[in-house]
Amino acid sequence: NSFAMALGSVPFEFSGRGLVLMDPPYEPYNEYVAWTLSLLKLFRRQWPSSCIAVWYPVFDERQTTSLYHRVRHLQVGDVLVAEMNITLQGSEALASSGVMFANAPEELEDELAQMLPALGHLLEQKQGT
């Protein structure tokens, strides 16, 4: 429970390498971003060897650019960004999203460059389902 941990009621006793996946609700947007960024900063400070993956929706360029600037301002180290946009004709589903990786393994960027185009192709084939 991220709320309890951040408030100090759960001991923070992680060590070594590990992965934290943050998949927050994205409505209301401003509250989600504030909480997510607070947790990102907390994890980087308390567990510096961890890789933190933060999923986020891509609604518009202004919001996404603002998110990038806010993460940079946190000074959490190098951040790898992977975004995907698929066209879903006739659908109101969220078609764009991204994941930010703070302290990502060195090989992750090359692996994503190989996998994401294939994944995008598979998802586009499933239109309307």
Side-chain angles (χ1 to χ4, degrees):
N1 182 329
S2 61
F3 293 102
M5 181 185 61
L7 295 175
S9 64
V10 174
F12 204 107
E13 300 177 9
F14 301 111
S15 63
R17 286 290 287 171
L19 173 66
V20 176
L21 173 59
M22 294 169 46
D23 182 11
Y26 56 90
E27 293 177 1
Y29 182 79
N30 289 333
E31 290 177 24
Y32 130 75
V33 168
W35 184 250
T36 299
L37 295 179
S38 295
L39 284 177
L40 174 59
K41 188 172 183 174
L42 174 73
F43 271 105
R44 288 296 295 142
R45 185 177 67 241
Q46 297 293 331
W47 192 13
S49 60
S50 67
C51 172
I52 304 162
V54 180
W55 176 89
Y56 59 95
V58 176
F59 293 116
D60 65 57
E61 186 176 338
R62 182 187 52 79
Q63 273 186 342
T64 304
T65 300
S66 173
L67 178 62
Y68 296 159
H69 289 292
R70 291 174 76 177
V71 169
R72 183 179 301 143
H73 180 73
L74 291 176
Q75 299 179 346
V76 294
D78 291 337
V79 176
L80 174 63
V81 173
E83 291 182 354
M84 181 176 286
N85 179 6
I86 57 174
T87 302
L88 301 171
Q89 296 176 353
S91 173
E92 294 183 25
L94 178 66
S96 299
S97 64
V99 179
M100 284 189 268
F101 299 91
N103 197 31
E106 290 181 21
E107 62 276 358
L108 184 59
E109 185 172 5
D110 290 337
E111 290 175 3
L112 288 173
Q114 292 176 18
M115 290 186 293
L116 288 179
L119 178 59
H121 180 70
L122 288 171
L123 292 173
E124 285 180 341
Q125 290 179 351
K126 299 290 184 185
Q127 288 185 152
T129 58

